[in-house]
Amino acid sequence: MLQHNASARRGRYDESLRDILNIQAADESRVWLSTWDGLNAGPTPLWDLPDLAARLGVGSISLKDEGHRSPLGSFKALGAPIALIRLIRRLWPEQDFVPAKLTAGHYKAQLQDFTVISATDGNHGRALAAAARSIGCRCVIVLHRHVNDERRLAIEHLGGQIVQIDGNYDESVKEAARQAEEHGWHVVSDTSYEGYETIPRDVMQGYGTIAAETIEQGGEGPYTHVFIQGGVGGLAAGVVSYLAERFGERRPLCVIVEPGEADCLFQSALRGQAAHATGSVDSIMAGLACGETSPLAWRFLAILADCFMTIPDDAAIEAMRILAVGAERDVPIVAGESGAAGLAGLIQASSSAEDRAALGLNERSNVLLLNTEGATAPALYEQLAGFRADEVLKAQRRRLSA
C-alpha cells in the first residue's frame, strides 16, 4: 500500500531542521566513530546490482550494506556510541572527556558507577551494550516478549544486564523510562517522547555517516529514489536530512517502508502528525516492529519523506532470499529480515503500474537501498532465507575474487 505525503517539500533545507540535525555535527560524529574499535575499518560496501535493476525495470540499484558495519552486524552501531559519548560529555563538561579516549576505556575508573538503560528490539541494545563495555560504564537493556533469544544472548555476551517484560516494544520503552527514574539511571533511547529529544537526536546524527559514505562512494547526487526502512523513523530522518541539506531540490525521492502490522509512520502520513500503528505490531521484521512514531523523527519525515508504504512479512523474506542468491552480475548479500525491507518495498512498487507511475520509477531511475542488518540472529536467518549466512558470505567472497 502506497501513501503520498502531500506536505513533502523540496528545495533548501529548512533552518529549523538544521538546528537539530546537520552535516557538520554528522561529520563530527563520523570522526569520533572512526576511532572506536567496535566498528570495522573503512566504509561499508555499496553494491551495484545491475541484474536486479534490469529485472525490476529501473536504471540502477545501489545497496549500502550495513551488515558489514561492525561485528554487531547492523547500522545501530553508528547511533548508540555517539549518543553515549555526547551524553557523558554533557554530564561532565568540566572533565573535557576526549571521545577517542572514552571509547578506548581511558576513563573507566571514573565511569564505573554510571549506568545507562534502553529498550530495544535487539540491535540498538546490542550497540549500546558494546559501547558501554568499551567506555566502562554499566548498561541495562529492557527486552519485550518478541525479541529473539539469539539477540538477547548477544546483548548478555557484551555485558548488558537484561530486564525482560511481557509486552511489546512500546511498553519496553516505558519500562526503561520508569526504571531510569527509579534508580537514577540515564535512558539512551533511539526513539523520542515528550521531554526526551536530545539523545534520540544524537542517535540520528550518527546515522548521517551512512549518507556521507554513500555520497563519496556513489558520486555527486546520482540517485533519483531512496527506499528507507521505517521503524520509529530515526534512521530515515538521519539519512534523508543529510541528503536534503547536501542536495536541496536535487535530493532523491524518499520512500519509507515498514511492516503492515507496524505502520506507525504510514498512519502518521495519513493523519499529518506522529501517530500509532493500527496493526498488532508483531512482525518478522523485528527491528521495524514499532507501534509509536518518534515525534522528533516525524518533524523531518513530515516534510522530507515523499511516500510511505507497507509490506507484508512474506515480501521481506522473499527479498532476503533474492539477495542471498545474487545473480550473474549481482554479488550475494546477507540481509536480515529488516535489512531486506527496502528491497521488498521496491519490488512491490515495481510490480504495480500505478505505483511505478506515482513514484516515477522507470528505466532512468537510479535507486538507493539500505541493507540495515546482516544475520544478527543467524539461526533465524537460515530458517527464513534458506541459507546459512556464512555460506552466503563465502559466495560473496568468491564472486569478488573471481
Side-chain angles (χ1 to χ4, degrees), residues 159-182:
Q161 177 186 332
I162 301 296
V163 173
Q164 196 98 35
I165 69 161
D166 186 25
N168 61 23
Y169 172 75
D170 303 301
E171 290 168 315
S172 67
V173 170
K174 294 173 184 175
E175 177 62 16
R178 187 195 69 77
Q179 293 224 9
E181 177 69 21
E182 178 180 341

Side-chain angles (χ1 to χ4, degrees), residues 269-289:
L270 288 175
R271 290 162 173 73
Q273 62 183 11
H276 292 228
T278 56
S280 66
V281 196
D282 184 11
S283 170
I284 196 68
M285 294 168 271
L288 307 181

Side-chain angles (χ1 to χ4, degrees), residues 231 257-264 283 285 288-289 309-313:
V257 183
E258 58 190 340
E261 291 296 328
D263 61 345
C264 59
S283 170
M285 294 168 271
L288 307 181
M309 66 183 304
T310 59
I311 58 170
D313 282 3

